[in-house]
Amino acid sequence: MILLPVLAALTGLAAGRWTRGLVVRHSVAEGEPLRRDCPHCGVPLSAARCPGCSGRIGPPPLAVELVTALALALLALRAAWTARSGAVPAGPLPEVVTAVELAAYGWLAVVAVALVFVDAAVHRLPDRLTLAAYLGTAGLLTATALLGGRFDDLLGAGLGGLALAAFYLVLFLVNPAGMGLGDVKLAAALGTALGWLGWDALVAGAFLGFLAGGLYGVALMILRRAGRKSEIPFGPFMVVGAFAAILAGL
């Protein structure tokens, strides 16, 4: 039971280096080209610190790597606990079905970490990353359904993605200043992952995201670090709420 989470954490540390690159390249203002050179001296980017001027690039060293490792380790720990409880997926290859399903949520976790850091830095969720999150998650869950005959779950995933994206689209149309189209696109990926687990998980994930975002906003106002009209990136709270529900539902 311990080996799988440890291996997942090590995989997360390695994947985190790739994720850090995504964060640095995409942490630019809307309409600007991807960042490929050090903003301080122009040397090509390759690490957390510029090899030319030693200036820090992007998030603090190991921040992205450790968050990615933690996310994958928690998913693996939850999957190992479920397996230990005796829950066996349907299909002729249950171990393969479980592995592919876990890979779907692992992929979503890796890309979602990048989205969280980018949104926190520049208040935007790039289309390339939200599309990658959706296509990777939907593709791997489709493979899981084909291997395990879980077509009802696949239908739930498709409807969940549509439902959550539609909900966020309504919020965007009602109040464009408080919600962005990037949130709508991220909702499609998160809704797909949550819908696979059922409507209870979908509702819980959405609710927890709003709860986390609301509590954070209230805390900022109490500390006088923000006002009622201050903008805060909502993507990180969407991800936190969704993964809390995923960990409870896997």
Side-chain angles (χ1 to χ4, degrees), residues 82-105:
T82 300
R84 186 179 181 183
S85 69
V88 178
L93 300 170
E95 294 83 2
V96 176
V97 172
T98 298
V100 178
E101 181 184 25
L102 187 58
Y105 288 103

Side-chain angles (χ1 to χ4, degrees), residues 58-141:
L62 291 180
V64 178
E65 292 86 343
L66 290 175
V67 173
T68 306
L70 177 62
L72 294 189
L74 288 175
L75 286 171
L77 184 62
R78 179 61 173 136
W81 181 267
T82 300
R84 186 179 181 183
S85 69
V88 178
L93 300 170
E95 294 83 2
V96 176
V97 172
T98 298
V100 178
E101 181 184 25
L102 187 58
Y105 288 103
W107 171 261
L108 179 61
V110 170
V111 182
V113 169
L115 285 164
V116 164
F117 278 95
V118 172
D119 200 18
V122 293
H123 289 204
R124 60 184 293 262
L125 295 164
D127 288 346
R128 291 187 181 187
L129 298 185
T130 53
L131 181 62
Y134 176 77
L135 291 179
T137 304
L140 287 167
L141 289 179

Side-chain angles (χ1 to χ4, degrees), residues 147-158:
L147 288 169
R150 298 174 62 177
F151 298 107
D152 288 344
D153 292 337
L154 184 61
L155 177 61

